[in-house]
Amino acid sequence: MTPAERQTAAEQAVAEKDWNQAANLWEQIYQDEQSAANNFQLVRALVADQQYVTARNYASEFESQYLASDEGASVYLRALIANHEFISARIVIVARGKSDWTQAALTTLSAAENDAEAHLQSTLTTTMRHFYHLSDQPVQAQVADLQAARHLTMQRYLTAAKFLLVDPFLHPLTRSEVLYTLHELQVNTPVQMQWLLDDRQLTLCPAELTEVGADEISLATKQRLKIQLADQDVFLYENLRELLQLQLMYLYPRPELAITDPADWVAVLIAQQTGQETTNLSEEQEKMMKIQQKIQQFSLDLQQ
């Protein structure tokens, strides 16, 4: 079957509502040309054929395109809700801003959450318990439970998340990820968070936070690194750019509490990662070096 014949057959299968055949054909077409248009046709067929997990995975490859239209968002949302990925579904709805579509979508999601509370209470309770006790798990195991928590209803997720944000034994990167999820959900009530470096607790409104690395001090630090290295050593620059972004994730949402001077932070970063001598450091640079070393140790813990 030629590509043209395959597309004609796929379109015919859609017209006849032979969704399994349509999904099989569109999957072959998509493998040949992985365009957003072909992805949508494939995901629409998979959803109609109730292959929700596969549909969700394919849709995530072009998530921004799905969010750009009511039709695309509706298909994506149907897959997420059918998979009981209630938190991801709510993030999709919130990301699209307020409209008639979002109001209808929130009503649909709330009905699905209520149905889950009525019929899947035991499963939800078990998932919530595992989420509550994330810090009891090895760091690698926390990733799976963190993903499983996206199957919780909004109220259950928020209740457990508030507890985790002040759990001093939780890996700080996991804690930052939980907070960032609350930001994506646009939670507009204050929460407490145990910060990375000391025993202080921050009071934050997740909805008012920026994205990771998008605040003024983070942008200035990234720009400083670019100025110093981008035209001198592209390979080193790319490596340190990725490392800096990871550091900013650890420091989220208050990098300014650690990066008191972007130039000093970048100087310490380059020295630490290239084996340069770190003598004659100022008091502030010494503090920054200790913070970067602490972050590096936390990252090493992730690999054990």
Side-chain angles (χ1 to χ4, degrees), residues 34-255:
Q34 296 185 7
S35 67
N38 288 342
N39 181 282
F40 176 76
Q41 294 295 339
L42 169 58
V43 169
R44 184 177 65 168
L46 287 167
V47 168
D49 197 41
Q50 299 183 15
Q51 297 185 53
Y52 299 117
V53 174
T54 305
R56 183 255 189 277
N57 291 338
Y58 274 120
S60 66
E61 296 176 11
F62 284 90
E63 185 172 84
S64 60
Q65 280 87 342
Y66 280 88
L67 296 182
S69 70
D70 289 354
E71 182 182 21
S74 294
V75 171
Y76 192 19
L77 188 66
R78 185 178 169 192
L80 290 171
I81 291 177
N83 288 330
H84 294 161
E85 293 184 61
F86 301 124
I87 297 303
S88 296
R90 190 172 293 271
I91 289 172
V92 165
I93 295 171
V94 169
R96 301 201 69 226
K98 292 183 178 180
S99 68
D100 290 342
W101 181 91
T102 55
Q103 290 303 311
L106 284 171
T107 300
T108 299
L109 175 58
S110 295
E113 287 182 324
N114 291 338
D115 185 70
E117 288 288 359
H119 298 101
L120 300 171
Q121 192 173 71
S122 177
T123 300
L124 289 171
T125 299
T126 299
T127 301
M128 188 176 181
R129 185 184 306 118
H130 288 165
F131 191 36
Y132 255 116
H133 296 287
L134 269 182
S135 62
D136 295 341
Q137 301 293 328
V139 175
Q140 293 88 340
Q142 291 179 18
V143 176
D145 285 339
L146 200 59
Q147 290 302 310
R150 293 202 163 220
H151 294 268
L152 292 172
T153 57
M154 178 63 177
Q155 194 53 53
R156 285 178 181 263
Y157 187 93
L158 183 58
T159 299
K162 286 181 177 179
F163 171 79
L164 289 171
L165 289 177
V166 295
D167 182 352
F169 302 106
L170 188 64
H171 192 277
L173 204 58
T174 304
R175 200 159 53 231
S176 292
E177 187 167 345
V178 171
L179 178 65
Y180 191 69
T181 298
L182 297 187
H183 166 66
E184 291 182 300
L185 290 165
Q186 288 293 283
V187 172
N188 57 15
T189 55
V191 298
Q192 300 291 120
M193 180 186 182
Q194 181 85 25
W195 198 56
L196 172 70
L197 299 176
D198 48 39
D199 293 332
R200 85 178 83 181
Q201 286 193 2
L202 306 176
T203 300
L204 308 158
C205 178
E208 296 175 359
L209 300 177
T210 65
E211 295 183 9
V212 177
D215 60 281
E216 184 177 341
I217 198 74
S218 296
L219 292 173
T221 307
K222 289 190 284 188
Q223 181 63 18
R224 182 70 185 186
L225 180 65
K226 183 178 181 179
I227 290 171
Q228 285 198 221
L229 284 182
D231 294 331
Q232 299 176 27
D233 189 330
V234 176
F235 180 75
L236 178 61
Y237 169 66
E238 288 299 328
N239 284 338
L240 295 191
R241 186 172 65 86
E242 291 181 9
L243 179 55
L244 176 57
Q245 185 64 23
L246 179 62
Q247 291 177 335
L248 295 174
M249 290 175 65
Y250 274 103
L251 297 174
Y252 185 76
R254 291 290 182 263

Side-chain angles (χ1 to χ4, degrees), residues 276-292:
Q276 297 176 17
E277 288 291 332
T278 53
T279 56
N280 300 320
L281 296 180
S282 68
E283 184 178 348
E284 282 301 305
Q285 287 176 324
E286 286 279 1
K287 290 179 182 178
M288 291 182 195
M289 183 175 69
K290 290 178 181 179
I291 294 170
Q292 292 191 29

